[in-house]
Amino acid sequence: MDRLASFGNDPFDKPPCRGCSSFLTEPYIKCAECGPSPFLLCLQCFTKGFEYKKHESDHKYEIMTSDFPVLDPGWTAQEEMALLEAVMDCGFGNWQDVAYQMRTKTKEECESHYMKNFIHNPLFSSTLLSLRKTKDSRFAEGAIPFKPTDDPPRPTFDSVLSRDMAGYMPARADFMEEFDNYAEWDLKDIDFVDDDSDILRALKLSVVDIYHSRLRERQRRKKVIRDHGLINLRKFQMLERCYPKEVQELYDVMRRFARVVGPIEHDKFIESHALEFELRREIRRLQEYRKAGIKSFCSAKVYERAKRMREEERRKRTMLCDVLQYIQDGRACQQWLSKQAAIDAGITPAVTTITVSATGRRSAPPLNLTGLPGTEKLNEREKELCQVVRLVPGAYLEYKQALLNECRRQGGLRLAQARALIKIDVNKTRKIYDFLIKEGYITKA
């Protein structure tokens, strides 16, 4: 008796039992003498000695099951096939989804087993190496053309692969939701009949022409998406992040012009600007060295080290300025001085306690209004309010004007109306409302 692999995991993929016509579940029996079509029996019919036409109960038979190890003692053949199907459905690397589809293995077990037996297996190393060489040679020649005989991927609806491809269906070259998706609705009720007047027929033809122009726009957009590789948006975004921040900003600006040039020309344009950015940055660095009187790279290393030390000293002075503006708080100043002494001595500073108010919330320091736009338009009491509430002057002036306008329009203003008008923290809104009432800017309704 031989143990062979079954047709698949789905019982609907197998022919029914010849005896009771029920769906077969593993293990089941296959007659080794009847053919060419397989003669399959469930265990119940086999134990009863079921016979039918040429099949007799004493024929040789095979036990069809996949409940045996193939590559790993802890993995059955059925689980191996389920793992390969899950990787094909969910994509390589989505081990959480693969484990969810497997049901019997964890994410770590699926990943380690697949990497060990299907990626790093020495039995497949020569095959993988030859495939890699073939792939490299093809990429060296240029883009791989699509052949009609190639089987494009067919992701299921709402799968991970389908979401990554933005709903694109390669087998149909369409999206699940097209651009101008309801363009066909304008034509569904149009019918050309013989008794149409010339004006009505011309109007119907104009509607058809408009529909054709919308179809051309849809095709043009799909062509731009395919040519520039925008179907897999996540991969496109990862490639975009490889550039420096300045080049990424240029990429965002120039993306709108990708529709008028080819993908190769557009990529060359971006790459050339990235190279220009690198060259300009290197030139500025060399000019800085020359301005400082440096003529060798050895001296440049010393200069960079001294520059970092100067920046650290500048940051320390900035911290001191931040403390000096709150010099009235003696406890906070003392904590900062103790922390700086510990840092200068090379000792890890102790964690200082944070002052907590009676309500259990951390008390934030007042906002520094120095240099903020709109500060000169505030009086001393308004400046004090902005510091306590930690609100920039420009925003305060905007909120104040909005409340004044609403108060004039309604002849008064309630707190609930102020909160509906200003979408900020309700406690800040109450403080602003009470301040304006106290100062006489607005009146209660």
Side-chain angles (χ1 to χ4, degrees):
M1 293 183 296
D2 299 327
R3 296 189 300 175
L4 300 176
S6 62
F7 287 90
N9 297 330
D10 192 354
F12 297 95
D13 294 340
K14 312 181 195 59
C17 173
R18 287 294 186 93
C20 59
S21 299
S22 62
F23 292 107
L24 295 172
T25 57
E26 296 182 359
Y28 56 92
I29 306 300
K30 176 184 176 183
C31 181
E33 298 183 12
C34 297
S37 60
F39 191 91
L40 306 179
L41 292 174
C42 64
L43 293 181
Q44 290 77 9
C45 295
F46 175 74
T47 55
K48 294 177 183 179
F50 176 79
E51 294 182 350
Y52 179 75
K53 292 184 179 180
K54 296 181 180 181
H55 174 71
E56 298 180 359
S57 59
D58 59 348
H59 281 182
K60 296 180 181 180
Y61 62 91
E62 299 173 353
I63 300 178
M64 307 297 291
T65 180
S66 58
D67 189 17
F68 58 91
V70 178
L71 301 174
D72 193 304
W75 286 69
T76 63
Q78 185 175 2
E79 290 175 333
E80 298 284 358
M81 291 188 295
L83 175 64
L84 295 178
E85 291 178 0
V87 172
M88 184 180 299
D89 294 339
C90 304
F92 177 78
N94 297 325
W95 302 114
Q96 187 67 39
D97 297 337
V98 171
Y100 180 77
Q101 185 169 331
M102 283 281 297
R103 302 284 184 180
T104 59
K105 300 293 181 181
T106 63
K107 178 180 70 173
E108 292 75 14
E109 289 175 341
C110 294
E111 181 179 4
S112 61
H113 182 78
Y114 191 88
M115 298 299 294
K116 175 184 176 182
N117 294 284
F118 296 101
I119 300 299
H120 303 305
N121 194 334
L123 296 176
F124 307 141
S125 60
S126 58
T127 304
L128 293 175
L129 182 61
S130 62
L131 289 175
R132 189 178 295 111
K133 290 181 178 178
T134 304
K135 182 179 179 181
D136 294 341
S137 63
R138 288 185 178 182
F139 276 124
E141 296 173 0
I144 302 176
F146 178 79
K147 299 179 181 179
T149 56
D150 294 340
D151 188 21
R154 291 177 171 85
T156 58
F157 175 73
D158 204 24
S159 63
V160 177
L161 181 58
S162 177
R163 290 195 296 269
D164 289 343
M165 297 175 66
Y168 184 71
M169 297 176 288
R172 294 175 51 186
D174 290 329
F175 287 89
M176 291 184 181
E177 186 172 349
E178 295 283 352
F179 168 77
D180 200 358
N181 198 41
Y182 299 100
E184 289 77 9
W185 282 29
D186 295 337
L187 297 177
K188 62 185 180 68
D189 296 328
I190 293 182
D191 187 16
F192 289 88
V193 294
D194 295 336
D195 56 350
D196 283 343
S197 63
D198 295 339
I199 297 178
L200 182 58
R201 186 176 184 83
L203 181 61
K204 292 180 178 179
L205 291 176
S206 300
V207 174
V208 174
D209 291 339
I210 294 174
Y211 171 69
H212 286 165
S213 64
R214 296 165 77 176
L215 286 183
R216 286 192 294 270
E217 177 63 18
R218 181 186 295 175
Q219 294 298 326
R220 187 188 70 83
R221 288 173 179 260
K222 285 199 292 188
K223 184 176 184 301
V224 171
I225 292 175
R226 287 197 299 264
D227 292 346
H228 289 268
L230 301 179
I231 293 177
N232 193 338
L233 185 59
R234 184 180 302 177
K235 182 178 178 181
F236 178 78
Q237 291 173 344
M238 291 177 62
L239 293 175
E240 186 178 348
R241 294 193 190 100
C242 298
Y243 295 110
K245 182 179 178 180
E246 292 78 1
V247 180
Q248 290 182 16
E249 295 175 355
L250 175 66
Y251 212 125
D252 293 336
V253 175
M254 300 304 297
R255 186 183 291 118
R256 66 193 67 180
F257 298 104
R259 66 185 70 181
V260 298
V261 295
I264 298 179
E265 291 79 4
H266 182 70
D267 290 343
K268 285 182 178 180
F269 177 78
I270 298 299
E271 290 290 341
S272 62
H273 277 74
L275 179 60
E276 178 187 2
F277 171 76
E278 294 293 337
L279 291 176
R280 288 180 179 275
R281 185 170 59 180
E282 185 67 17
I283 290 173
R284 285 195 298 268
R285 189 168 68 90
L286 295 176
Q287 289 176 342
E288 182 183 358
Y289 292 161
R290 178 58 60 90
K291 187 177 180 180
I294 298 173
K295 298 182 180 180
S296 64
F297 285 104
C298 181
S299 302
K301 293 180 180 179
V302 178
Y303 172 79
E304 290 291 342
R305 192 180 305 113
K307 182 179 178 181
R308 287 193 296 270
M309 293 175 62
R310 290 196 301 269
E311 291 177 352
E312 291 177 0
E313 292 295 332
R314 188 180 298 111
R315 282 197 296 270
K316 291 181 180 179
R317 290 196 298 269
T318 304
M319 292 174 61
L320 180 59
C321 293
D322 293 339
V323 171
L324 290 179
Q325 65 181 343
Y326 307 127
I327 198 65
Q328 295 83 1
D329 190 352
R331 183 179 178 184
C333 183
Q334 185 64 33
Q335 288 179 353
W336 184 88
L337 292 174
S338 301
K339 181 179 177 181
Q340 282 301 118
I343 294 175
D344 295 338
I347 305 173
T348 302
V351 178
T352 57
T353 59
I354 300 176
T355 305
V356 180
S357 62
T359 58
R361 303 182 64 179
R362 297 181 179 181
S363 58
L367 180 66
N368 183 17
L369 303 181
T370 305
L372 294 180
T375 306
E376 68 280 357
K377 299 179 181 180
L378 306 179
N379 55 38
E380 294 301 326
R381 290 184 297 277
E382 289 177 326
K383 290 180 182 179
E384 183 179 355
L385 174 67
C386 291
Q387 288 177 342
V388 174
V389 181
R390 296 186 61 80
L391 194 66
V392 295
Y396 165 75
L397 293 173
E398 182 180 352
Y399 299 151
K400 175 184 174 182
Q401 188 62 39
L403 295 177
L404 289 176
N405 294 337
E406 188 69 15
C407 183
R408 293 194 196 100
R409 190 174 66 86
Q410 297 188 5
L413 193 65
R414 291 183 287 110
L415 179 60
Q417 294 173 332
R419 286 175 175 172
L421 198 62
I422 303 178
K423 301 298 183 179
I424 59 175
D425 181 59
V426 293
N427 296 321
K428 292 185 178 181
T429 305
R430 185 178 188 88
K431 292 180 180 179
I432 296 174
Y433 177 80
D434 293 342
F435 174 79
L436 295 179
I437 291 289
K438 181 180 178 181
E439 296 296 322
Y441 289 107
I442 61 176
T443 58
K444 289 185 178 181

